[in-house]
């Protein structure tokens, strides 16, 4: 899976430059493989980005600004959604990537899997105990009926 970050190398906006630096710096700090795609120098990149940002995510003028983040062809979000994911410690989920081994997110994921397995095991054990109880009741009922018949 390749994370694609659409950037503008020659943006006149300081705010856009800071947002782009924030995204790229954070991905590099996490050692996430990504591909920067320049929309300022490459018309193909600009058109692809504009066409693939979902309508509901586009600003009122209809032209999404960088940075825009994708996982392959799947839209992840813009800077604001990236920032929210960063604040919530859910960047890997935002990017559609599994958390790295040894991370808190991976540990939580594994704990959840273990809890799910334990719950399934308990449910299965409860079902088996219920079946056994029903069998014992049926056997007891049969014995009672045999005694009454004698």
């Amino acid at each position: 899976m390749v994370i694609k970050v659409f950037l503008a190398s020659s943006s006149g906006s300081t705010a856009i430059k800071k947002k782009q630096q924030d995204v790229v710096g954070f991905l590099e700090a996490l050692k996430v493989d990504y591909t920067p795609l320049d929309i300022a120098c490459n018309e193909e990149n600009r058109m692809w980005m504009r066409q693939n940002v979902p309508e509901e995510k586009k600003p009122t003028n209809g032209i999404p600004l960088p940075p825009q983040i994708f996982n392959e062809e799947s839209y992840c979000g813009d800077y604001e959604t990236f920032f929210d994911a960063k604040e919530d410690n859910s960047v890997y989920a935002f990017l559609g990537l599994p958390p790295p081994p040894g991370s808190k997110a991976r540990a939580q994921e594994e704990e959840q899997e273990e809890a799910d397995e334990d719950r399934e095991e308990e449910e299965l054990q409860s079902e088996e105990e219920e079946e056994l109880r029903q069998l014992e009741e049926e056997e007891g009922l049969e014995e009672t009926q045999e005694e009454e018949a004698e």
Side-chain angles (χ1 to χ4, degrees):
M1 286 183 254
V2 176
I3 301 302
K4 298 176 182 177
V5 182
F6 288 85
L7 308 165
S9 60
S10 59
S11 173
S13 167
T14 305
I16 287 176
K17 287 178 184 175
K18 285 181 180 179
K19 290 175 181 179
Q20 291 177 159
Q21 289 170 343
D22 188 25
V23 170
V24 168
F26 198 77
L27 293 177
E28 287 175 353
L30 292 178
K31 296 183 171 79
V32 171
D33 288 331
Y34 72 95
T35 302
L37 298 167
D38 191 0
I39 65 167
C41 299
N42 186 317
E43 185 65 26
E44 246 179 68
N45 287 343
R46 180 176 27 248
M47 295 310 295
W48 192 93
M49 180 193 81
R50 288 182 179 177
Q51 291 169 355
N52 289 281
V53 170
E55 283 301 318
E56 65 274 7
K57 301 292 184 178
K58 290 182 180 178
T60 51
N61 71 1
I63 300 172
L65 298 173
Q68 296 290 330
I69 306 159
F70 290 80
N71 183 333
E72 296 289 346
E73 311 296 310
S74 176
Y75 183 69
C76 298
D78 59 7
Y79 177 77
E80 281 69 29
T81 51
F82 171 81
F83 182 83
D84 291 343
K86 191 169 100 170
E87 290 294 304
D88 294 339
N89 290 321
S90 60
V91 172
Y92 288 101
F94 166 79
L95 295 171
L97 299 173
S103 70
K104 285 183 183 179
R106 176 64 66 96
Q108 289 171 342
E109 203 173 81
E110 289 170 359
E111 285 174 17
Q112 184 61 45
E113 286 174 8
E114 285 177 22
D116 290 345
E117 286 173 9
D118 289 348
R119 189 170 33 260
E120 287 172 11
E121 208 172 284
E122 288 171 7
E123 287 172 2
L124 187 60
Q125 190 174 6
S126 294
E127 287 173 12
E128 289 173 352
E129 289 172 357
E130 179 63 24
E131 286 176 14
L132 185 58
R133 188 183 59 72
Q134 287 175 350
L135 283 173
E136 289 172 349
E137 282 179 9
E138 288 173 10
E139 286 176 8
L141 189 61
E142 286 174 8
E143 288 175 8
T144 305
Q145 288 174 345
E146 286 174 9
E147 290 172 3
E148 288 175 358
E150 291 175 2

